[in-house]
Structures are given as C-alpha cells and as structure tokens.
Amino acid sequence: MTPPTPTLQAGDTVPDGTFRYIPYTEDPQRHSQSLDITEDLKGKKVVLFSVPGAFTPTCHVNHLPPYLQHYDDFKAKGVDIIAVVAANDPFVMSGWGRFEGVKDKILCLSDPEAEWSGKIGLALDMSQLHFGIRTARYAIIIDDLVITYIATEPGPGVTVTGAEALLAEL
Amino acid sequence: MAPTVKVGETIPAGTFKYIPYTPELESNAACGVPVSLDITKDWKGKKVVLFSVPGAFTPTCHVNHLPPYLQKYDEFKAKGVDVIGVLASNDPFVMSGWGRFQDVKDKLLCLSDIGAEWSSKLGLSMDTPGGARTARYAIILDDLTIKYIEVEPAPGVSVSGADAVLAKL
C-alpha cells in the first residue's frame, strides 16, 4: 500500500476538528468527551502520532511503547501533550491505553472514520481488508496550532514517526 | 429487535476472524495473526455458547457481560459446552486485545464480526454513528442447530447473560 502524502506541511495551521476520548481515571468512565483541536490545543506544544489500529502488531509493540518510555524526555523538551490517535472508537482507545499502562501520560484519541486525518490527506482505505477507513501511520508536532513537523511512514515499521525521530525534531 | 431465525433452525453460515490464544501473546511482544473461523465447518457436532456485545471495552460489556462468562467457565464445561465465544463488530486485533485485558486466555474465543455482517443476517445488528454494531444477544448451538436465541430487550444484561444461558443448558 503506498503511503499517503499529507496535504499540509510545516508552517501550516492544523485544520479544525474534534477527537473523542475517555480521560484517564482509576475507574473506567462510561462516557467519552470531545477534544476540540482549535480550542484545546491552542498555545500548546503537542506531539501527535497516529496508528492504523489499536492492538495491531506494529502499533502495539513498536510504535506506542517508546513514546511512553520517553515521556520524560518529551516533557523536558517542553511538550505539553502527547497523543496517539486511531480510527477505533474511544472505548477501544481507552482500553488500549489502559492495556499499555499509559495512564494520563498519553491521550488516546479516537478519530472516527479517520475524518480529521482525512482532512490532511492521511486516511487509509482498508476496506478490502475489512478494516474500514483508518488513519495512516504518521506523526505531527504542533506548536500553538502550527505544524512544525509532519511525516508519514514510507513503509512498514516505525522510523520517521517514532518517538526518537520526533525527539530529535524538538 | 427480534432475531430472524429461531430455535430449531440451522444457524446461518458465516466466518469470523479471530486471533487464537497463545502464551506468547501474554508478553505483549506479539499481537498474533488473525485466522478465520467457519461456523459450518468448525462448529459442526459441537455445543456452542455464543454471546454478542455491541463493543469491546464498552461499559456494560466490559464489566457486566463478559466477566461472568469467564467466572462460570467450569460450569459451562460441566454442561457439555465445547466452545464459548464472545462476538462484537470490532476488528480481530481489538477483540484479541480485549480478551487479553480480561485475561480470558483460551477459555473464550474473542471473535470479530466485522461490520456486524453475520449478525445482521440474523436481524441482530444495529446502526450506530460509528457504523453497524452487533446487538447484545446470546445463542446456544448444538451441532449447528439453534437451541436458544435471545436479544436483550433493554440496556443491561439479563437473557443474554451467563446465568440465563446456563439455566438453558
């Protein structure tokens, strides 16, 4: 599958949009909330990385864990929010976060039907695999709503969208 | 909602994807590879309890519906049940992740009815903003014949719960 090319680049403002998520609490909550990109990410330094699916092999083992392990390094570089996004629903994203032990360190966001990701050209149609529309494997650094870094993985595996690559860009 | 098939009929054919449990999955270093379960082939001659939830990790399913099936596993086995399966429209990776989260190991098969396709053949799917989901229901099969099929009439777990199904075995 050819990776998609983002329609935005460093220097552009991120499009508006909403993600759903369940904020981390000791006991699982019953309802999801909205994160409004323009309102909630304004003035913040955000690292957002996207995976095609929660619990899928590369994402589960190779992509998310290094972000958790490097949490302090990200914080030392002034990052306010680290978030992982996928097209799975907010309950699955929350469950995955619990499974990975992220607690409140990484926001696990749901981009239903990869709608927002599609606005930047980064949705993948995986219907032939019965997975529906998914988010591509990408990573973005956003500073006060402006993109300072955006990359998609050129092939299977994690390189330019991984924690270490992002840390080097901060 | 009422199922379009009833007790005494043969279960419609279909396939589910799932990731069979292996001990390697416990280390979280692997996610497994999905395989297909073919209802007509794999459940022929078997006594099967299949319960369906609208979504993995959703409140009722996670807390109230699945755990009792796991807790009462031995009772199901004592009644001659060969396979207990939990079904939802989530993809097989999510179903496998949920099963590991609930620590079902190989006791429950965590099956993916993507797009609620098979469940809709039985009239047991529902449209939600996120797409088609499987309704909350339970079925007992004996050699592919439906012995019990009930869908929850309201939120919560009653006729599709472990106790109700055990009472029917």
Side-chain angles (χ1 to χ4, degrees), chain A residues 112-135:
Chain A
E113 291 175 270
E115 196 185 315
W116 182 82
S117 303
K119 287 189 196 180
I120 42 180
L122 294 176
L124 279 177
D125 189 347
M126 299 182 77
S127 319
Q128 79 280 16
L129 295 172
H130 299 287
F131 278 12
I133 310 289
R134 297 277 177 144
T135 61

Side-chain angles (χ1 to χ4, degrees), chain B residues 25-102:
Chain B
L25 294 176
E26 302 229 352
S27 70
N28 290 338
C31 286
V33 181
V35 299
S36 282
L37 182 147
D38 180 310
I39 291 174
T40 311
K41 273 168 57 181
D42 296 319
W43 287 350
K44 181 154 191 47
K46 296 205 166 131
K47 194 178 243 184
V48 176
V49 164
L50 179 70
F51 68 102
S52 163
V53 300
F57 295 103
T58 58
T60 309
C61 315
H62 192 68
V63 178
N64 300 97
H65 205 168
L66 184 144
Y69 274 94
L70 187 60
Q71 286 146 17
K72 291 176 199 261
Y73 175 77
D74 292 333
E75 293 176 57
F76 281 101
K77 284 297 177 177
K79 298 233 178 183
V81 172
D82 296 299
V83 177
I84 309 175
V86 57
L87 187 68
S89 62
N90 299 99
D91 69 55
F93 293 106
V94 170
M95 292 308 285
S96 166
W98 188 40
R100 272 177 282 156
F101 193 99
Q102 299 268 32

